[in-house]
Amino acid sequence: MLALPLKAVSIVPMGIGKGKLIVGNWKMNSSPAADSALLECFAKSSASFGTATVVVCPPFTAIAAASKILAGSPISIGAQNVHWEASGPFTGEISPSMLRDVGVDYVIVGHSERRSAFGENDAILSKKFYAAMASGITPILCLGESQSERENGLQSAVVERQLRAVIDPQKIEHFGNFAVAYEPVWAIGTGKSATAEEAQTMHRHLRSVLADIFGEKFAEDIRLLYGGSVSGSNAAELFAQKDIDGALVGGASRKADEFLAIVASGT
Ligand code: 13P
């Protein structure tokens, strides 16, 4: 796997100056009729997406149908989870190559709901992260502090620890690209977004940690998304921050008008 010298494989730049990356995480919400209405609306509007890259992440069962509807549109498909093995006796799991087969280009790794409700720890997340990249899927690594961690001023340390626990520069130099989503747990689904200033402060910190690991150039090319109560009314202010390269959107990604307003703020 690491046969090439460390600097021999170049990274495909996908970061600053290339438009925002806006990802809709549908979570466990899907029905065939609602999904197709939503996706057809997104596909119809996609001519106005400009430089924004738009990704929707349906539940596994809805991915194949979404791929069909979005075929020929610039909208990409993501998954919400992945297993790290290629195949075998892993009841209930889905492998990276199975996701590739149904048109998946991105996968969310380490969402706080998976960390807290499904016991996903750093070791598991690390395996998922590299397995996705090895299959040509861009992982979106989610990080974020809890309410009490923020109240105690621990947010920077917590999020830096989460990032360093998964990122291994040796592996990444060889596999390709990834994105990072800062999602403070207290902002998810609460209607209480981090302020643009709070988000920018954390993104700046994440960028400097990435620069410390990989150097400035690589760090500039990594897209840093903000997630947590992003809406049509706060997206523009968030996107105006220097180190906010896009958004990971939950609730608003199931509402056509809201999601399209967020995308419009990022074009
Ligand atoms: P909300 O946008 O509903 O707060 O959810 C954020 C999130 O968890 C996206 O992954």
Side-chain angles (χ1 to χ4, degrees), residues 14-254:
M14 58 179 288
I16 310 298
K18 293 235 160 188
K20 304 294 185 195
L21 174 60
I22 298 165
V23 182
N25 174 9
W26 290 2
K27 308 195 178 182
M28 199 170 72
N29 299 294
S30 166
S31 75
D35 297 357
S36 28
L38 202 55
L39 293 171
E40 274 156 21
C41 180
F42 295 165
K44 245 188 249 153
S45 306
S46 60
S48 63
F49 287 177
T51 56
T53 300
V54 175
V55 181
V56 291
C57 302
F60 289 134
T61 51
I63 288 178
S67 276
K68 266 195 203 138
I69 296 171
L70 296 177
S73 91
I75 302 169
S76 298
I77 306 267
Q80 300 173 20
N81 189 20
V82 66
H83 195 265
W84 56 89
E85 294 287 350
S87 62
F90 302 100
T91 303
E93 295 295 328
I94 306 284
S95 73
S97 62
M98 290 159 68
L99 293 179
R100 289 303 277 161
D101 288 344
V102 288
V104 164
D105 289 318
Y106 294 82
V107 65
I108 297 169
V109 172
H111 193 282
S112 73
E113 288 151 15
R114 295 217 57 87
R115 291 177 190 257
S116 64
F118 301 97
E120 293 195 357
N121 58 27
D122 295 330
I124 289 171
L125 297 179
S126 193
K127 287 195 265 189
K128 293 184 175 200
F129 186 84
Y130 295 108
M133 273 205 271
S135 295
I137 298 175
T138 300
I140 301 167
L141 176 66
C142 299
L143 318 165
E145 81 284 2
S146 67
Q147 171 94 47
S148 68
E149 286 164 341
R150 180 159 280 263
E151 282 165 3
N152 288 299
L154 299 173
Q155 65 271 19
S156 299
V158 166
V159 170
E160 178 172 344
R161 194 208 59 73
Q162 290 172 334
L163 180 64
R164 289 187 187 271
V166 172
I167 300 293
D168 177 340
Q170 298 243 337
K171 290 182 180 171
I172 284 166
E173 285 274 354
H174 289 274
F175 284 164
N177 224 325
F178 65 95
V180 174
Y182 169 54
E183 296 205 305
V185 177
W186 48 269
I188 295 176
T190 58
K192 184 178 178 286
S193 168
T195 64
E197 195 189 341
E198 286 168 336
Q200 166 58 23
T201 301
M202 183 60 83
H203 282 222
R204 187 68 237 148
H205 178 57
L206 287 171
R207 187 93 64 203
S208 69
V209 174
L210 288 167
D212 179 50
I213 300 171
F214 299 111
E216 296 283 340
K217 173 70 184 83
F218 187 104
E220 284 301 312
D221 284 342
I222 298 300
R223 275 172 160 146
L224 301 181
L225 315 184
Y226 169 76
S229 297
V230 176
S231 69
S233 42
N234 62 18
E237 198 190 349
L238 289 161
F239 292 162
Q241 307 305 309
K242 182 175 180 304
D243 292 292
I244 300 185
D245 308 319
L248 182 53
V249 183
S253 71
R254 290 289 289 175

